[in-house]
Amino acid sequence: MELTDQLRAIRKNWWIVVLTLLTTVGAAVLVTQRATPEYESSLTFFVAASSDTGTALQADEFAQRRVAAYAGVLTSGRLAERIVAGRTLGLTPQEVSARITATPQPDAILLSAVVRDTRPERARAIGAAIAEELGPLVQELERTEAASRATVSLTVISGPSFPLSPVSPRPTLNVGVGVLAGLALGVSLAIARQMLDRTVRTPEHVRASTSLPTLSTITSQHRRRRSRADGLVAGADPGSPRAEAYRRLRTNLTFSAATHKMQVIVVTSPLAGEGKTTTSCNLAIALAESGRRVLLVEADLRRPRVSQTLGLESAVGLTNILAGQVDESEVIQQWGPSGLSVLASGTLPPNPSELLGSARMRAFVQRMRQRFDVVVLDTPPTLPVTDASIAAVHADSVVLVVRYGHTTRDQARLAVESLRVVDAPIAGVIINGAPLRSAGVAYSQQGGPQGRGPVPAPSADRAERNDAATPGVPAAPSVTTRATWVPDQAAPATGTTDTDGEPAVDHAGRRDPAAQDR
């Protein structure tokens, strides 16, 4: 991972750095507030030695050797017993020894003692006791037979001091350490998160995992517009970045016709919740706005959501056509002012894979090729079921929808591999739900208010059909269905949400008639 990648990871995951920094600083402040203050009292001894038989130099060397030994005497239990005896300190000899720190300075023939205690007066009292008891104890030890004939004396040259302020805790030092630790840990976590993140976020990720181009990057819905529960933006909000992205998708698919014919397009995704239904609807609307005759087929026969998203009747549709119960001219519905034709899923069958791979499905697609310029098939996710791979046999182009920060690269790779097994003509990948800064899309301003589009209303009734059903497909329900939809009024949005993670509406969408293809 290069330096530029690390800086990009830090900038992208800045919230991790800030959160870690606040956590460590807060922990440092909390520890500082809860820590018991400690006070220090210090004193310094000058060690002098004299010898009746040796020179002054020999006496100095003897004193230097003794400084290190007297440091051990300072922290010994024997000195602690002398300090505790006859004094009211409230401490045991072991507790007194633990509070004393000795620092010898042999070159300067100095011996320093530091007493640390939670009470300043007791720290000074222990220091004063050391000044009184250390000299006599040393004289007693030096009078043993093993001792030298030299005379050693300890003189207090400073202290014991009376502590006025605590030496621990140190708020400034603790907060400083917390800041440095927070920055180091936060930067490390930000870089690690970037390295461990295996989701699809950029066209480079798509190219590395699938060897396919990115046809378009669809931005996520603007926060201020989420309350409108409107996932259809291709016609409703032509000046938005999302609508611009769908037009870019339409253009890229058009120019990819040199290698992948664009008449029959299958839209799928690796898993559910990645926005394939909303993408199918918006792509079909964008294609219809360019003047093409477009048919949107709800080919997801397991969890259909196109009819719910567009607010159309779904009781009779594709499955009933394949069962020979109705004619397509009777169940194809018109949506919106652009003249988009929509074919609902119809009665949900127990064998959707067999229906999509049947000869009747192939014949149906051939008939639709003659009637429409473009046919868009919204199919189920690729990894859970095989429906999309089966439907891809009838397609000229297959587009794979992945969700930004949700679909992993392995999932995208496996989805592409499953489609390539059946030699599906994969045109490319669509990254859905990307933030504006990642998509690189600029706002386009449209003058005037955006009007709310009309809702299609029924214009004619269809006769009931009692044809025999194909084995495995339920018979068409005995209801009066509507053949044609004519826009004449507006209906409020229901605020429902489809399974692809995009808001769904029950109106026909909105469109600025003045908006042109860019």
Short mmCIF file of all heavy atoms in Angstrom, two decimals, residues 216-273:
data_model
loop_
_atom_site.label_atom_id
_atom_site.label_comp_id
_atom_site.label_asym_id
_atom_site.label_seq_id
_atom_site.Cartn_x
_atom_site.Cartn_y
_atom_site.Cartn_z
N SER A 216 -21.75 2.73 -15.29
CA SER A 216 -22.17 3.98 -14.65
C SER A 216 -22.10 3.80 -13.14
O SER A 216 -22.17 2.68 -12.63
CB SER A 216 -23.60 4.37 -15.05
OG SER A 216 -23.97 5.62 -14.48
N THR A 217 -21.93 4.91 -12.47
CA THR A 217 -21.93 4.93 -11.00
C THR A 217 -23.14 5.73 -10.56
O THR A 217 -23.20 6.94 -10.76
CB THR A 217 -20.64 5.55 -10.44
OG1 THR A 217 -19.52 4.77 -10.88
CG2 THR A 217 -20.67 5.55 -8.92
N ILE A 218 -24.13 5.04 -9.97
CA ILE A 218 -25.38 5.69 -9.56
C ILE A 218 -25.21 6.20 -8.14
O ILE A 218 -24.85 5.44 -7.22
CB ILE A 218 -26.55 4.69 -9.62
CG1 ILE A 218 -26.57 3.96 -10.98
CG2 ILE A 218 -27.86 5.42 -9.37
CD1 ILE A 218 -26.75 4.86 -12.16
N THR A 219 -25.47 7.47 -7.97
CA THR A 219 -25.31 8.06 -6.65
C THR A 219 -26.48 7.69 -5.74
O THR A 219 -27.57 7.35 -6.20
CB THR A 219 -25.22 9.59 -6.75
OG1 THR A 219 -26.42 10.10 -7.34
CG2 THR A 219 -24.03 10.00 -7.59
N SER A 220 -26.23 7.77 -4.46
CA SER A 220 -27.30 7.52 -3.49
C SER A 220 -28.26 8.69 -3.48
O SER A 220 -27.92 9.81 -3.88
CB SER A 220 -26.72 7.31 -2.09
OG SER A 220 -25.96 8.45 -1.70
N GLN A 221 -29.46 8.43 -2.98
CA GLN A 221 -30.49 9.47 -2.96
C GLN A 221 -30.11 10.54 -1.97
O GLN A 221 -29.62 10.27 -0.88
CB GLN A 221 -31.84 8.87 -2.59
CG GLN A 221 -33.01 9.79 -2.93
CD GLN A 221 -34.32 9.04 -2.81
OE1 GLN A 221 -34.35 7.92 -2.37
NE2 GLN A 221 -35.39 9.68 -3.22
N HIS A 222 -30.34 11.80 -2.37
CA HIS A 222 -29.98 12.93 -1.53
C HIS A 222 -30.77 12.88 -0.22
O HIS A 222 -31.94 12.55 -0.20
CB HIS A 222 -30.26 14.24 -2.27
CG HIS A 222 -29.53 15.42 -1.69
ND1 HIS A 222 -30.00 16.11 -0.61
CD2 HIS A 222 -28.35 15.99 -2.02
CE1 HIS A 222 -29.15 17.09 -0.31
NE2 HIS A 222 -28.14 17.03 -1.15
N ARG A 223 -30.10 13.23 0.87
CA ARG A 223 -30.74 13.16 2.19
C ARG A 223 -32.01 14.00 2.26
O ARG A 223 -32.99 13.64 2.90
CB ARG A 223 -29.76 13.59 3.28
CG ARG A 223 -28.59 12.62 3.45
CD ARG A 223 -27.66 13.11 4.54
NE ARG A 223 -26.55 12.19 4.74
CZ ARG A 223 -25.59 12.38 5.62
NH1 ARG A 223 -25.60 13.44 6.39
NH2 ARG A 223 -24.61 11.50 5.73
N ARG A 224 -31.99 15.15 1.64
CA ARG A 224 -33.15 16.03 1.72
C ARG A 224 -34.33 15.50 0.92
O ARG A 224 -35.44 15.99 1.05
CB ARG A 224 -32.77 17.42 1.21
CG ARG A 224 -31.71 18.11 2.09
CD ARG A 224 -31.40 19.49 1.54
NE ARG A 224 -30.41 20.18 2.36
CZ ARG A 224 -29.93 21.39 2.09
NH1 ARG A 224 -30.36 22.04 1.00
NH2 ARG A 224 -29.04 21.94 2.88
N ARG A 225 -34.07 14.50 0.08
CA ARG A 225 -35.14 14.01 -0.79
C ARG A 225 -35.59 12.61 -0.40
O ARG A 225 -36.46 12.05 -1.01
CB ARG A 225 -34.66 14.01 -2.24
CG ARG A 225 -34.26 15.40 -2.72
CD ARG A 225 -33.74 15.37 -4.14
NE ARG A 225 -33.34 16.69 -4.58
CZ ARG A 225 -32.82 16.97 -5.78
NH1 ARG A 225 -32.66 15.99 -6.64
NH2 ARG A 225 -32.48 18.19 -6.09
N ARG A 226 -34.98 12.03 0.62
CA ARG A 226 -35.36 10.69 1.01
C ARG A 226 -36.77 10.63 1.56
O ARG A 226 -37.45 9.62 1.45
CB ARG A 226 -34.37 10.15 2.04
CG ARG A 226 -33.01 9.81 1.44
CD ARG A 226 -32.07 9.30 2.50
NE ARG A 226 -30.76 9.02 1.92
CZ ARG A 226 -29.70 8.67 2.61
NH1 ARG A 226 -29.79 8.55 3.92
NH2 ARG A 226 -28.55 8.44 2.03
N SER A 227 -37.21 11.69 2.19
CA SER A 227 -38.54 11.68 2.79
C SER A 227 -39.64 11.59 1.74
O SER A 227 -40.77 11.24 2.04
CB SER A 227 -38.74 12.95 3.64
OG SER A 227 -38.59 14.10 2.83
N ARG A 228 -39.31 11.88 0.46
CA ARG A 228 -40.32 11.82 -0.60
C ARG A 228 -40.58 10.38 -1.05
O ARG A 228 -41.53 10.11 -1.76
CB ARG A 228 -39.85 12.62 -1.81
CG ARG A 228 -39.58 14.06 -1.49
CD ARG A 228 -39.28 14.87 -2.71
NE ARG A 228 -38.34 14.20 -3.60
CZ ARG A 228 -37.88 14.76 -4.70
NH1 ARG A 228 -38.27 15.96 -5.04
NH2 ARG A 228 -37.02 14.12 -5.47
N ALA A 229 -39.74 9.45 -0.57
CA ALA A 229 -39.91 8.03 -0.92
C ALA A 229 -40.05 7.85 -2.42
O ALA A 229 -40.92 7.17 -2.92
CB ALA A 229 -41.11 7.44 -0.18
N ASP A 230 -39.15 8.49 -3.16
CA ASP A 230 -39.23 8.41 -4.62
C ASP A 230 -37.92 7.85 -5.14
O ASP A 230 -36.92 8.54 -5.17
CB ASP A 230 -39.48 9.81 -5.19
CG ASP A 230 -39.78 9.77 -6.68
OD1 ASP A 230 -39.72 8.68 -7.27
OD2 ASP A 230 -40.06 10.82 -7.24
N GLY A 231 -37.94 6.59 -5.59
CA GLY A 231 -36.74 6.00 -6.14
C GLY A 231 -36.63 6.18 -7.64
O GLY A 231 -35.63 5.82 -8.23
N LEU A 232 -37.66 6.74 -8.29
CA LEU A 232 -37.65 6.93 -9.73
C LEU A 232 -37.24 8.37 -10.02
O LEU A 232 -38.02 9.29 -9.84
CB LEU A 232 -39.04 6.65 -10.31
CG LEU A 232 -39.61 5.26 -9.98
CD1 LEU A 232 -41.00 5.11 -10.55
CD2 LEU A 232 -38.68 4.17 -10.50
N VAL A 233 -36.02 8.52 -10.49
CA VAL A 233 -35.50 9.87 -10.69
C VAL A 233 -35.21 10.17 -12.16
O VAL A 233 -34.99 11.31 -12.52
CB VAL A 233 -34.21 10.10 -9.88
CG1 VAL A 233 -34.50 9.99 -8.40
CG2 VAL A 233 -33.14 9.09 -10.28
N ALA A 234 -35.19 9.13 -13.00
CA ALA A 234 -34.85 9.37 -14.40
C ALA A 234 -35.81 10.34 -15.06
O ALA A 234 -35.43 11.16 -15.88
CB ALA A 234 -34.84 8.03 -15.16
N GLY A 235 -37.09 10.25 -14.70
CA GLY A 235 -38.06 11.17 -15.27
C GLY A 235 -38.55 12.19 -14.28
O GLY A 235 -39.01 13.27 -14.66
N ALA A 236 -38.46 11.89 -12.97
CA ALA A 236 -39.03 12.77 -11.97
C ALA A 236 -38.12 13.95 -11.66
O ALA A 236 -38.60 15.04 -11.37
CB ALA A 236 -39.31 11.99 -10.68
N ASP A 237 -36.82 13.75 -11.68
CA ASP A 237 -35.88 14.81 -11.30
C ASP A 237 -34.73 14.81 -12.30
O ASP A 237 -33.63 14.35 -12.01
CB ASP A 237 -35.37 14.54 -9.88
CG ASP A 237 -34.71 15.77 -9.28
OD1 ASP A 237 -34.63 16.79 -9.99
OD2 ASP A 237 -34.27 15.71 -8.13
N PRO A 238 -34.95 15.31 -13.50
CA PRO A 238 -33.94 15.18 -14.56
C PRO A 238 -32.65 15.95 -14.28
O PRO A 238 -31.64 15.69 -14.93
CB PRO A 238 -34.65 15.74 -15.80
CG PRO A 238 -35.71 16.64 -15.26
CD PRO A 238 -36.16 16.02 -13.96
N GLY A 239 -32.66 16.88 -13.34
CA GLY A 239 -31.45 17.65 -13.05
C GLY A 239 -30.61 17.07 -11.94
O GLY A 239 -29.57 17.63 -11.61
N SER A 240 -31.00 15.95 -11.36
CA SER A 240 -30.27 15.38 -10.23
C SER A 240 -29.08 14.57 -10.71
O SER A 240 -29.03 14.11 -11.85
CB SER A 240 -31.21 14.49 -9.41
OG SER A 240 -31.57 13.35 -10.15
N PRO A 241 -28.09 14.36 -9.82
CA PRO A 241 -26.94 13.52 -10.20
C PRO A 241 -27.35 12.09 -10.53
O PRO A 241 -26.75 11.46 -11.40
CB PRO A 241 -26.05 13.58 -8.97
CG PRO A 241 -26.44 14.83 -8.25
CD PRO A 241 -27.90 15.00 -8.52
N ARG A 242 -28.36 11.58 -9.86
CA ARG A 242 -28.79 10.21 -10.13
C ARG A 242 -29.38 10.09 -11.54
O ARG A 242 -29.11 9.14 -12.26
CB ARG A 242 -29.82 9.75 -9.10
CG ARG A 242 -29.29 9.70 -7.68
CD ARG A 242 -30.30 9.10 -6.74
NE ARG A 242 -30.41 7.67 -6.94
CZ ARG A 242 -31.51 6.96 -6.76
NH1 ARG A 242 -32.63 7.58 -6.41
NH2 ARG A 242 -31.52 5.67 -6.92
N ALA A 243 -30.21 11.06 -11.92
CA ALA A 243 -30.78 11.04 -13.27
C ALA A 243 -29.67 11.16 -14.32
O ALA A 243 -29.72 10.51 -15.37
CB ALA A 243 -31.79 12.17 -13.43
N GLU A 244 -28.66 11.99 -14.02
CA GLU A 244 -27.53 12.13 -14.94
C GLU A 244 -26.79 10.80 -15.08
O GLU A 244 -26.33 10.43 -16.16
CB GLU A 244 -26.59 13.21 -14.43
CG GLU A 244 -25.59 13.72 -15.45
CD GLU A 244 -26.26 14.50 -16.56
OE1 GLU A 244 -27.12 15.35 -16.29
OE2 GLU A 244 -25.91 14.24 -17.73
N ALA A 245 -26.68 10.07 -13.96
CA ALA A 245 -25.99 8.78 -14.00
C ALA A 245 -26.75 7.76 -14.84
O ALA A 245 -26.15 6.96 -15.56
CB ALA A 245 -25.80 8.26 -12.58
N TYR A 246 -28.10 7.79 -14.77
CA TYR A 246 -28.89 6.87 -15.60
C TYR A 246 -28.78 7.23 -17.08
O TYR A 246 -28.78 6.34 -17.94
CB TYR A 246 -30.34 6.87 -15.15
CG TYR A 246 -30.56 6.15 -13.85
CD1 TYR A 246 -31.02 6.83 -12.72
CD2 TYR A 246 -30.29 4.79 -13.73
CE1 TYR A 246 -31.21 6.17 -11.52
CE2 TYR A 246 -30.47 4.12 -12.53
CZ TYR A 246 -30.93 4.82 -11.43
OH TYR A 246 -31.12 4.17 -10.23
N ARG A 247 -28.70 8.51 -17.36
CA ARG A 247 -28.50 8.89 -18.76
C ARG A 247 -27.11 8.45 -19.25
O ARG A 247 -26.95 8.06 -20.41
CB ARG A 247 -28.69 10.40 -18.94
CG ARG A 247 -30.15 10.83 -18.92
CD ARG A 247 -30.30 12.28 -19.35
NE ARG A 247 -29.83 13.18 -18.30
CZ ARG A 247 -30.59 13.69 -17.35
NH1 ARG A 247 -31.88 13.36 -17.30
NH2 ARG A 247 -30.12 14.52 -16.46
N ARG A 248 -26.13 8.53 -18.36
CA ARG A 248 -24.80 8.05 -18.72
C ARG A 248 -24.83 6.54 -18.96
O ARG A 248 -24.18 6.03 -19.88
CB ARG A 248 -23.81 8.38 -17.61
CG ARG A 248 -22.37 7.96 -17.93
CD ARG A 248 -21.42 8.31 -16.79
NE ARG A 248 -21.34 9.75 -16.61
CZ ARG A 248 -21.91 10.39 -15.59
NH1 ARG A 248 -22.59 9.71 -14.68
NH2 ARG A 248 -21.80 11.69 -15.48
N LEU A 249 -25.60 5.84 -18.15
CA LEU A 249 -25.75 4.40 -18.36
C LEU A 249 -26.39 4.11 -19.71
O LEU A 249 -25.95 3.21 -20.44
CB LEU A 249 -26.60 3.81 -17.22
CG LEU A 249 -27.05 2.36 -17.38
CD1 LEU A 249 -25.85 1.43 -17.47
CD2 LEU A 249 -27.95 1.96 -16.21
N ARG A 250 -27.43 4.86 -20.03
CA ARG A 250 -28.08 4.69 -21.33
C ARG A 250 -27.11 4.93 -22.48
O ARG A 250 -27.06 4.16 -23.45
CB ARG A 250 -29.26 5.65 -21.43
CG ARG A 250 -30.01 5.61 -22.76
CD ARG A 250 -31.07 6.70 -22.79
NE ARG A 250 -30.47 8.03 -22.75
CZ ARG A 250 -31.16 9.16 -22.55
NH1 ARG A 250 -32.47 9.08 -22.35
NH2 ARG A 250 -30.55 10.31 -22.53
N THR A 251 -26.29 5.98 -22.36
CA THR A 251 -25.33 6.30 -23.41
C THR A 251 -24.27 5.21 -23.54
O THR A 251 -23.93 4.79 -24.65
CB THR A 251 -24.67 7.65 -23.11
OG1 THR A 251 -25.67 8.66 -23.01
CG2 THR A 251 -23.68 8.03 -24.20
N ASN A 252 -23.74 4.75 -22.41
CA ASN A 252 -22.71 3.72 -22.46
C ASN A 252 -23.25 2.41 -23.04
O ASN A 252 -22.54 1.71 -23.77
CB ASN A 252 -22.14 3.48 -21.06
CG ASN A 252 -21.31 4.66 -20.58
OD1 ASN A 252 -20.85 5.47 -21.39
ND2 ASN A 252 -21.13 4.76 -19.28
N LEU A 253 -24.48 2.06 -22.70
CA LEU A 253 -25.07 0.87 -23.28
C LEU A 253 -25.27 1.03 -24.79
O LEU A 253 -25.08 0.08 -25.56
CB LEU A 253 -26.41 0.56 -22.62
CG LEU A 253 -26.36 -0.09 -21.24
CD1 LEU A 253 -27.76 -0.21 -20.65
CD2 LEU A 253 -25.72 -1.47 -21.35
N THR A 254 -25.63 2.24 -25.19
CA THR A 254 -25.81 2.49 -26.62
C THR A 254 -24.51 2.31 -27.38
O THR A 254 -24.45 1.69 -28.44
CB THR A 254 -26.38 3.90 -26.84
OG1 THR A 254 -27.62 4.03 -26.13
CG2 THR A 254 -26.60 4.16 -28.32
N PHE A 255 -23.42 2.86 -26.82
CA PHE A 255 -22.13 2.76 -27.51
C PHE A 255 -21.51 1.37 -27.38
O PHE A 255 -20.61 1.04 -28.14
CB PHE A 255 -21.16 3.81 -26.96
CG PHE A 255 -21.40 5.18 -27.53
CD1 PHE A 255 -22.13 6.13 -26.82
CD2 PHE A 255 -20.92 5.52 -28.78
CE1 PHE A 255 -22.37 7.38 -27.35
CE2 PHE A 255 -21.16 6.78 -29.32
CZ PHE A 255 -21.88 7.72 -28.59
N SER A 256 -21.98 0.59 -26.41
CA SER A 256 -21.47 -0.78 -26.30
C SER A 256 -22.17 -1.72 -27.27
O SER A 256 -21.88 -2.91 -27.30
CB SER A 256 -21.67 -1.31 -24.88
OG SER A 256 -23.04 -1.50 -24.59
N ALA A 257 -23.11 -1.20 -28.06
CA ALA A 257 -23.86 -2.03 -29.00
C ALA A 257 -22.95 -2.63 -30.07
O ALA A 257 -23.32 -3.59 -30.74
CB ALA A 257 -24.96 -1.21 -29.66
N ALA A 258 -21.73 -2.06 -30.22
CA ALA A 258 -20.80 -2.61 -31.21
C ALA A 258 -20.38 -4.02 -30.83
O ALA A 258 -20.11 -4.86 -31.69
CB ALA A 258 -19.58 -1.71 -31.35
N THR A 259 -20.29 -4.29 -29.53
CA THR A 259 -19.89 -5.62 -29.05
C THR A 259 -21.05 -6.37 -28.41
O THR A 259 -21.05 -7.60 -28.38
CB THR A 259 -18.75 -5.49 -28.04
OG1 THR A 259 -19.16 -4.62 -26.97
CG2 THR A 259 -17.50 -4.92 -28.71
N HIS A 260 -22.00 -5.65 -27.83
CA HIS A 260 -23.16 -6.28 -27.19
C HIS A 260 -24.42 -5.58 -27.70
O HIS A 260 -24.66 -4.42 -27.38
CB HIS A 260 -23.09 -6.15 -25.67
CG HIS A 260 -21.93 -6.87 -25.07
ND1 HIS A 260 -20.68 -6.31 -24.99
CD2 HIS A 260 -21.83 -8.10 -24.52
CE1 HIS A 260 -19.85 -7.16 -24.41
NE2 HIS A 260 -20.52 -8.25 -24.11
N LYS A 261 -25.18 -6.28 -28.50
CA LYS A 261 -26.42 -5.71 -29.01
C LYS A 261 -27.32 -5.31 -27.85
O LYS A 261 -27.34 -5.97 -26.81
CB LYS A 261 -27.12 -6.73 -29.90
CG LYS A 261 -28.29 -6.17 -30.68
CD LYS A 261 -28.88 -7.23 -31.58
CE LYS A 261 -30.08 -6.69 -32.33
NZ LYS A 261 -30.69 -7.73 -33.20
N MET A 262 -28.07 -4.23 -28.00
CA MET A 262 -28.77 -3.65 -26.87
C MET A 262 -30.27 -3.87 -26.92
O MET A 262 -31.01 -3.27 -26.14
CB MET A 262 -28.48 -2.15 -26.78
CG MET A 262 -28.69 -1.55 -25.40
SD MET A 262 -28.52 0.25 -25.39
CE MET A 262 -29.93 0.75 -26.36
N GLN A 263 -30.78 -4.75 -27.75
CA GLN A 263 -32.24 -4.84 -27.87
C GLN A 263 -32.86 -5.51 -26.65
O GLN A 263 -33.88 -5.07 -26.14
CB GLN A 263 -32.64 -5.59 -29.14
CG GLN A 263 -34.15 -5.52 -29.41
CD GLN A 263 -34.52 -6.07 -30.76
OE1 GLN A 263 -33.67 -6.62 -31.46
NE2 GLN A 263 -35.78 -5.91 -31.14
N VAL A 264 -32.28 -6.60 -26.17
CA VAL A 264 -32.79 -7.29 -24.98
C VAL A 264 -31.72 -7.20 -23.89
O VAL A 264 -30.61 -7.72 -24.05
CB VAL A 264 -33.13 -8.76 -25.28
CG1 VAL A 264 -33.61 -9.45 -24.00
CG2 VAL A 264 -34.18 -8.86 -26.37
N ILE A 265 -32.08 -6.51 -22.80
CA ILE A 265 -31.13 -6.26 -21.71
C ILE A 265 -31.64 -6.96 -20.46
O ILE A 265 -32.78 -6.76 -20.05
CB ILE A 265 -30.98 -4.75 -21.44
CG1 ILE A 265 -30.54 -4.02 -22.72
CG2 ILE A 265 -30.00 -4.50 -20.31
CD1 ILE A 265 -30.54 -2.50 -22.57
N VAL A 266 -30.79 -7.77 -19.85
CA VAL A 266 -31.10 -8.43 -18.57
C VAL A 266 -30.37 -7.67 -17.47
O VAL A 266 -29.16 -7.45 -17.55
CB VAL A 266 -30.68 -9.91 -18.58
CG1 VAL A 266 -30.69 -10.47 -17.17
CG2 VAL A 266 -31.63 -10.71 -19.45
N VAL A 267 -31.13 -7.27 -16.45
CA VAL A 267 -30.56 -6.56 -15.30
C VAL A 267 -30.62 -7.50 -14.10
O VAL A 267 -31.70 -8.01 -13.76
CB VAL A 267 -31.32 -5.26 -15.00
CG1 VAL A 267 -30.70 -4.55 -13.79
CG2 VAL A 267 -31.31 -4.35 -16.22
N THR A 268 -29.49 -7.74 -13.47
CA THR A 268 -29.44 -8.61 -12.31
C THR A 268 -28.41 -8.07 -11.33
O THR A 268 -27.78 -7.03 -11.57
CB THR A 268 -29.08 -10.05 -12.72
OG1 THR A 268 -29.14 -10.90 -11.56
CG2 THR A 268 -27.70 -10.13 -13.33
N SER A 269 -28.23 -8.77 -10.20
CA SER A 269 -27.29 -8.38 -9.17
C SER A 269 -26.79 -9.64 -8.47
O SER A 269 -27.43 -10.69 -8.57
CB SER A 269 -27.94 -7.43 -8.16
OG SER A 269 -29.02 -8.06 -7.50
N PRO A 270 -25.68 -9.58 -7.76
CA PRO A 270 -25.21 -10.78 -7.05
C PRO A 270 -26.19 -11.23 -5.98
O PRO A 270 -26.51 -12.41 -5.87
CB PRO A 270 -23.88 -10.34 -6.45
CG PRO A 270 -23.42 -9.21 -7.32
CD PRO A 270 -24.67 -8.51 -7.73
N LEU A 271 -26.68 -10.30 -5.15
CA LEU A 271 -27.58 -10.62 -4.05
C LEU A 271 -28.73 -9.64 -4.02
O LEU A 271 -28.71 -8.61 -4.73
CB LEU A 271 -26.83 -10.60 -2.72
CG LEU A 271 -25.71 -11.62 -2.53
CD1 LEU A 271 -24.95 -11.35 -1.24
CD2 LEU A 271 -26.24 -13.04 -2.55
N ALA A 272 -29.73 -9.93 -3.19
CA ALA A 272 -30.86 -9.01 -3.03
C ALA A 272 -30.43 -7.78 -2.24
O ALA A 272 -29.45 -7.80 -1.50
CB ALA A 272 -32.01 -9.73 -2.30
N GLY A 273 -31.17 -6.70 -2.42
CA GLY A 273 -30.90 -5.48 -1.68
C GLY A 273 -29.86 -4.60 -2.30
O GLY A 273 -29.33 -3.71 -1.63
#
